[in-house]
Amino acid sequence: MLIKIPAASACNESDVTPEAIYLSRRSLLGASMAGVALSALPNWARAADPSHYDGVEAGNAPAWFKEKLPSAEWGAVTVEGEAITPFKDATHYNNFYEFGTDKGDPAQNAGSLKTEPWTVVIDGEVGKPGRYALEDFMKPYRLEERIYRLRCVEAWSMVIPWMGFPISELLRQVEPTANAKYIRFETLQDPKTMPGQRSGFALIDWPYVEGLRLDEAMNPLAILAVGMYGRELPSQNGAPLRLVVPWKYGFKSVKSIVRISLVSEQPKTTWQSIAANEYGFYANVNPTVDHPRWTQARERRLPSGLFSPNIRSTEMFNGYGEQVASLYSGMDLRKNY
Ligand code: MTE
């Protein structure tokens, strides 16, 4: 990725924060956690409503989103003991190459993205293909708040409260056939509203594509998000629909999705097509497999500055090993990076 990262020497082992404990009150920790009331969560994890978060810019949520908010399950999954990244940082330090390659470009340029009306196509190896207006696509799903770490391959990270629903629920709706082995996601291609797609210098062969193995997509942590910080997604964060897979590097979490296809072959994904030796299909967060040009052992947790770089050790699977490691048993993660 064309990136600006701190020199590896900026990382200091003494800055490392103790390993975090991961909490879920639903299926992720098994039956013993089921039914634990929201009130059992510590205060910092509780997000009863959007006003829980400071500095959230008011959005302009579509009616279907507003209607779902009262029944949302707040704090369905949380990260214990790690501060949530301020809204301003999460929305002004972005990667969304359709709107430019600098971190501030998406916030500046993504206002041109037209998110209403929005159509999502479901096709490929499914019993129930379809083409849906987003509000119809969303009808079956209850929103859950998922507070996840986001670890970018560029060695910075955040903690973001997403709002979405598990992809496993979508897969139940669309009924994958026996041939479906992978799920492929495609971002909108619209050079009129996406200046990065008009640029003659772009490395990317648009549209941006990402994919997961079907069993990865079925993991309860993998979600499709429509909101963050208790409101709809800001355009620069991938409105109106994006993927979030917290145990993988951020580039897997494709934004502004218009097409979801169930396929039999591993899809050709954007960054793997650009530099397969640097960005793999799996892209699991792995502190023991360095990027050819920098270490992945450490990360800079935003906000960070010159005098408080906020460096911490990167955890295997971004701290979600208990939930996802079994997906890769028997695989050589040095080869399948
Ligand atoms: N999706 C699209 N369509 N285009 C992109 O450039 N960048 C990826 C991912 N999804 C990207 C994308 C990368 S590299 C990261 S780290 C995350 O989005 C960043 O998400 P955020 O800006 O919401 O933090």
Side-chain angles (χ1 to χ4, degrees):
M1 224 156 279
L2 314 169
I3 38 190
K4 296 178 183 131
I5 52 159
S9 59
C11 298
N12 180 346
E13 291 294 342
S14 64
D15 288 324
V16 168
T17 315
E19 189 167 303
I21 303 155
Y22 175 75
L23 266 185
S24 161
R25 71 186 173 93
R26 298 212 335 181
S27 54
L28 307 182
L29 290 186
S32 62
M33 286 296 285
V36 173
L38 189 59
S39 58
L41 291 173
N43 275 332
W44 48 260
R46 203 177 300 150
D49 62 64
S51 62
H52 171 84
Y53 300 110
D54 294 331
V56 177
E57 262 170 51
N60 186 16
W64 64 263
F65 184 89
K66 287 187 198 142
E67 281 159 23
K68 282 182 183 290
L69 269 190
S71 60
E73 186 182 3
W74 300 97
V77 179
T78 67
V79 175
E80 189 170 356
E82 293 173 46
I84 289 171
T85 303
F87 179 82
K88 183 88 181 167
D89 295 276
T91 56
H92 286 77
Y93 191 92
N94 299 102
N95 278 330
F96 199 171
Y97 277 39
E98 286 83 342
F99 294 101
T101 52
D102 283 348
K103 294 288 181 278
D105 288 346
Q108 198 155 14
N109 301 331
S112 56
L113 181 68
K114 195 166 169 266
T115 56
E116 277 187 276
W118 192 267
T119 306
V120 182
V121 172
I122 307 284
D123 63 3
E125 296 289 345
V126 282
K128 292 186 178 163
R131 188 185 176 85
Y132 302 90
L134 184 62
E135 54 271 32
D136 297 330
F137 175 82
M138 288 302 297
K139 267 203 182 110
Y141 312 115
R142 178 183 180 199
L143 294 185
E144 294 179 29
E145 186 183 54
R146 301 288 190 99
I147 303 174
Y148 286 159
R149 300 180 196 94
L150 170 77
R151 168 60 157 86
C152 180
V153 74
E154 300 164 348
W156 53 263
S157 65
M158 305 194 197
V159 175
I160 298 184
W162 303 105
M163 307 203 66
F165 66 93
I167 302 172
S168 59
E169 290 183 16
L170 167 70
L171 293 173
R172 258 194 295 280
Q173 297 279 337
V174 303
E175 299 175 3
T177 70
N179 293 332
K181 301 281 183 283
Y182 295 88
I183 181 164
R184 177 186 183 278
F185 303 88
E186 199 176 290
T187 295
L188 176 71
Q189 184 167 11
D190 184 17
K192 282 193 304 301
T193 58
M194 296 177 139
Q197 292 182 341
R198 294 197 295 270
S199 160
F201 300 103
L203 286 173
I204 295 177
D205 185 13
W206 311 105
Y208 194 103
V209 169
E210 259 308 334
L212 297 171
R213 232 171 44 192
L214 203 56
D215 59 340
E216 296 180 307
M218 288 295 291
N219 186 279
L221 287 178
I223 61 166
L224 283 167
V226 291
M228 62 197 284
Y229 297 81
R231 50 157 281 176
E232 82 281 11
L233 283 174
S235 294
Q236 62 266 36
N237 294 89
L241 180 72
R242 73 173 287 172
L243 183 65
V244 180
V245 265
W247 71 97
K248 292 179 178 285
Y249 291 121
F251 69 84
K252 296 295 288 184
S253 291
V254 45
K255 297 176 168 181
S256 303
I257 295 168
V258 291
R259 186 172 174 203
I260 301 175
S261 312
L262 276 289
V263 293
S264 55
E265 306 277 324
Q266 184 175 301
K268 285 196 175 28
T269 54
T270 291
W271 283 102
Q272 194 187 22
S273 305
I274 293 170
N277 61 326
E278 301 189 12
Y279 311 106
F281 176 79
Y282 283 94
N284 292 316
V285 175
N286 188 339
T288 69
V289 177
D290 285 340
H291 184 278
R293 290 182 277 133
W294 59 86
T295 177
Q296 293 293 23
R298 291 173 292 278
E299 67 199 55
R300 192 165 50 93
R301 174 63 54 86
L302 298 182
S304 83
L306 194 56
F307 298 109
S308 54
N310 213 5
I311 304 300
R312 50 191 295 132
S313 290
T314 291
E315 295 178 69
M316 187 66 202
F317 297 116
N318 207 18
Y320 300 101
E322 209 179 301
Q323 288 78 30
V324 303
S326 62
L327 291 168
Y328 310 103
S329 55
M331 277 177 68
D332 182 346
L333 296 181
R334 298 206 144 266
K335 286 198 185 121
N336 296 287
Y337 53 84

